[in-house]
Amino acid sequence: MHLLIIIDDGGWRKLDKFIENFSHSDNPFTSVLIANRGEIACRIIRACRELGLSSVAVYAENDATSLFVEMADSAILLPGEQLAETYLNAEAIIAAAHASGAGAIHPGFGFLSERADFAQAVTSAGLVWVGPSPHAITSMGDKMTARIAMRAAGVPVIPGEEIEETDEQASFLAIQAASEIVGYPLLLKASAGGGGKGMRAVEHPDGLLEAAKGARREAITAFGDGRVYVERLLTGSRHIEIQVLADRHGNTIHLGERECSIQRRHQKVLEESPSSAVDAELREYMGKAAVAAAEAVDYEGAGTVEFLLSQSGEFFFLEMNTRIQVEHPITELVTGTDLVQQQLLIAAGNPISQSIMQRIPSGKTGLRMQGHAIEVRVYAENPATGFLPAIGPLQVFIAPEGPGVRLDTGVRQGDNITPNYDPMIAKLVVHAPDRDSAIRRMRVALHDFVILGCTTNINFLSDLLSHHEFVAGNTPTNFIDLHWAEGWSEELGEKGNLFFSAVSGVAESVGIHRKYRGSSDIGDGLAGGSIERGDPFNPFLSINRRLP
């Protein structure tokens, strides 16, 4: 049972005002089904609450006790054990929407969020799709098609060759011919790819055939599409993305950039906004290019145009993500804009909120950013073993608190991190007046984050934030490979006295693993000038004396 307690009549009037934004719009709805799970489902539920919308969760059996199911106003079980039967089952999700009375479907990110056929099925079923049109998804979902469209729109693209061959042998011959035009080093990329799948860097012609076979196999497995094309490999570049918002009333704007260069295996680890490599002039150029990219496909809603920024200052279109991004909170913090709420309002047919449009400087296409925000992805993984997942129970889970600290998560103490889904535990986000103070705030927040029961990447993140090259803002996409070429390992301190060691042994025997600390020496404003890594075998130090 879910209770809504309103303190006074003013609260009711406020809710009624919000609901009018949907009931009197072009596409009226008062209830949203969230076709996703975990952290992003919790995030959407909170946005719905603030807008006076009811939320409907769909869940697999192994998610029955998850936080997002508990938070939603109602929840519907998707029978089955495989993803194809649950979160990837478009027919079952649409049926759940009808059964619940939901008028709209928000796909979050991942799963079905960038499936044009699902978007079309939702609208064909008489429901509102919270996202861009199927045409826009299709145009940007295929990387080769997107490159061609962007080139036509005047958006700079990475030098390369598109290859449409689907036959294996024919594609290998075409890739070889394209490599001679593009030159080495080069990058093979799956046309339907994403998340680093179907990508291979090739330094020398001798490795081309094997790399092409590997990229093709991975692409077929992940996307059912084996097409692979060739791009120049830009070494030392940065991954910069521009957040855009567009409505059906002719408004398309950008909300500045996010730097997402810190990656492992093409998966983002840390994001920040603004980028230390982007000044006001470059931001305006990239923002205008992102707006042109969105307008080229009649985009509607929130989307992200991703670029590679070369060491020379040139930028090139990489891809467009036609959904909300994992790292959207940092843009929300530096622009004061709730992107998920804007998605819902725009899907209902409303224009971008006037409160946002009024904050765009005259003659510009984007919002000003204030302060600096950093997001780190806290994973149940072991950085010392190549970032392999390290699942386990969250026997203790105490989140950091304080001014400018935000935690987006779909778990709480007592939950289990299982192999069924992505091992991301939470997104820890901070906002501060400038980059240096944001780094310090994040280091303190990581220091205060208590997670016992499974190995996490918290200690690695602390070391990353303390690295002198990161502090200096020198963050190319190969940052981790460059500075931890032989892999990252944790430096263990002295084990302390026998009493602490004995207690530690008991903790280990019941599965409570160590809580990481980050070492550093950059710390103006930090007690003692640094945060020392605690002894991971000493439970009293590792829980920072916060365990009840």
Side-chain angles (χ1 to χ4, degrees):
M1 177 180 293
H2 298 266
L3 295 178
L4 175 62
I5 300 175
I6 303 297
I7 303 300
D8 56 35
D9 291 338
W12 279 112
R13 286 196 296 272
K14 188 175 182 181
L15 268 181
D16 287 343
K17 182 179 178 181
F18 275 130
I19 292 173
E20 286 177 7
N21 285 325
F22 296 92
S23 59
H24 296 160
S25 60
D26 294 341
N27 298 328
F29 58 87
T30 57
S31 180
V32 180
L33 181 140
I34 298 131
N36 217 295
R37 64 173 303 278
E39 169 267 318
I40 188 58
C42 295
R43 172 70 184 90
I44 297 167
I45 290 167
R46 290 190 177 95
C48 288
R49 283 180 179 174
E50 292 187 26
L51 291 174
L53 299 169
S54 62
S55 57
V56 181
V58 289
Y59 66 97
E61 183 63 44
N62 56 21
D63 264 333
T65 59
S66 292
L67 180 59
F68 76 96
V69 177
E70 179 182 307
M71 288 178 60
D73 294 304
S74 60
I76 296 177
L77 173 67
L78 297 172
E81 297 181 358
Q82 304 299 320
L83 280 176
E85 301 172 292
T86 55
Y87 298 113
L88 294 178
N89 189 337
E91 184 177 341
I93 290 170
I94 291 172
H98 285 308
S100 67
I105 291 181
H106 194 308
F109 49 67
F111 292 140
L112 297 170
S113 61
E114 293 183 283
R115 287 272 296 273
D117 55 346
F118 180 55
Q120 185 60 62
V122 169
T123 56
S124 297
L127 301 166
V128 175
W129 168 252
V130 184
S133 68
H135 163 71
I137 296 173
T138 299
S139 298
M140 290 301 193
D142 183 282
K143 287 183 169 59
M144 285 194 292
T145 302
R147 279 173 55 87
I148 295 168
M150 292 303 97
R151 192 183 289 117
V155 179
V157 300
I158 300 172
E161 293 289 315
E162 293 86 29
I163 297 170
E164 291 288 353
E165 299 289 350
T166 56
D167 176 75
E168 184 175 50
Q169 290 304 317
S171 70
F172 289 157
L173 291 173
I175 289 170
Q176 186 171 12
S179 70
E180 295 172 2
I181 297 172
V182 174
Y184 292 87
L186 57 81
L187 192 63
L188 301 178
K189 299 179 72 173
S191 179
K197 295 181 175 64
M199 291 178 62
R200 295 290 189 279
V202 185
E203 301 286 343
H204 190 272
D206 291 345
L208 180 65
L209 181 59
E210 196 60 35
K213 289 179 179 179
R216 183 179 171 83
R217 279 195 305 269
E218 194 169 74
I220 292 172
T221 300
F223 315 111
D225 184 345
R227 290 176 302 149
V228 174
Y229 67 99
V230 181
E231 277 185 354
R232 180 191 300 168
L233 180 61
L234 301 177
T235 57
S237 59
R238 295 178 185 242
H239 186 134
I240 308 291
E241 59 188 33
I242 305 289
Q243 177 71 57
V244 296
L245 273 180
D247 61 32
R248 67 189 61 178
H249 303 278
N251 302 307
T252 304
I253 65 170
H254 75 85
L255 292 89
E257 82 278 1
R258 298 185 288 256
E259 172 149 355
C260 307
S261 300
I262 307 294
Q263 304 176 9
R264 47 102 172 113
R265 298 195 301 271
H266 303 292
Q267 292 285 347
K268 298 165 187 173
V269 173
L270 179 151
E271 304 95 358
E272 57 183 314
S273 180
S275 166
S276 59
V278 177
D279 59 19
E281 183 178 13
L282 181 57
R283 181 173 299 116
E284 184 64 13
Y285 282 136
M286 296 183 79
K288 286 182 177 178
V291 167
E295 290 177 338
V297 294
D298 298 321
Y299 199 84
E300 182 179 315
T304 303
V305 183
E306 302 196 353
F307 297 98
L308 282 182
L309 177 64
S310 72
Q311 292 176 304
S312 66
E314 295 179 287
F315 64 91
F316 302 97
F317 173 81
L318 186 61
E319 64 179 338
M320 184 174 188
N321 288 294
T322 54
R323 52 168 168 80
I324 196 75
Q325 288 279 84
V326 176
E327 57 272 19
H328 75 272
I330 54 176
T331 295
E332 293 186 326
L333 292 175
V334 296
T335 63
T337 303
D338 190 312
L339 291 171
V340 179
Q341 287 190 15
Q342 288 303 306
Q343 282 188 297
L344 294 164
L345 289 163
I346 290 170
N350 297 291
I352 298 169
S353 296
Q354 275 299 108
S355 61
I356 296 174
M357 299 299 293
Q358 291 169 355
R359 289 188 282 124
I360 299 176
S362 177
K364 303 294 184 180
T365 57
L367 290 178
R368 286 195 185 97
M369 294 186 286
Q370 295 189 341
H372 197 94
I374 299 175
E375 172 183 296
V376 295
R377 304 188 188 190
V378 179
Y379 279 97
E381 66 181 13
N382 188 350
T385 59
F387 301 96
L388 291 177
I391 60 175
L394 296 176
Q395 293 179 310
V396 177
F397 184 84
I398 305 177
E401 299 174 344
V405 178
R406 166 177 168 176
L407 189 78
D408 283 21
T409 186
V411 299
R412 71 286 214 208
Q413 186 165 296
D415 285 349
N416 283 298
I417 306 300
T418 72
N420 298 319
Y421 304 105
D422 185 88
M424 188 172 75
I425 298 172
K427 302 182 310 195
L428 180 59
V429 196
V430 300
H431 183 232
D434 53 55
R435 188 173 187 267
D436 286 345
S437 54
I439 291 172
R440 292 196 297 270
R441 180 162 287 171
M442 179 60 82
R443 289 174 52 221
V444 171
L446 286 167
H447 175 269
D448 290 345
F449 206 161
V450 181
I451 300 177
L452 298 179
C454 62
T455 300
T456 75
N457 65 336
I458 286 178
N459 206 30
F460 170 76
L461 293 171
S462 294
D463 283 356
L464 171 59
L465 283 150
S466 302
H467 198 285
H468 66 278
E469 288 294 325
F470 176 83
V471 174
N474 300 322
T475 55
T477 54
N478 63 342
F479 185 92
I480 292 176
D481 293 335
L482 186 65
H483 296 294
W484 287 283
E486 302 302 319
W488 178 87
S489 63
E490 185 172 12
E491 298 172 5
L492 302 179
E494 294 299 322
K495 286 193 173 183
N497 63 37
L498 292 176
F499 173 72
F500 281 171
S501 297
V503 175
S504 173
V506 173
E508 290 285 330
S509 71
V510 296
I512 302 178
H513 299 172
R514 62 185 179 270
K515 187 265 183 183
Y516 290 139
R517 276 292 186 280
S519 65
S520 90
D521 56 3
I522 67 168
D524 290 341
L526 293 176
S530 67
I531 297 176
E532 297 299 332
R533 175 179 292 135
D535 177 2
F537 293 100
N538 183 334
F540 292 93
L541 292 178
S542 69
I543 60 178
N544 199 28
R545 295 177 295 180
R546 298 178 63 205
L547 183 64

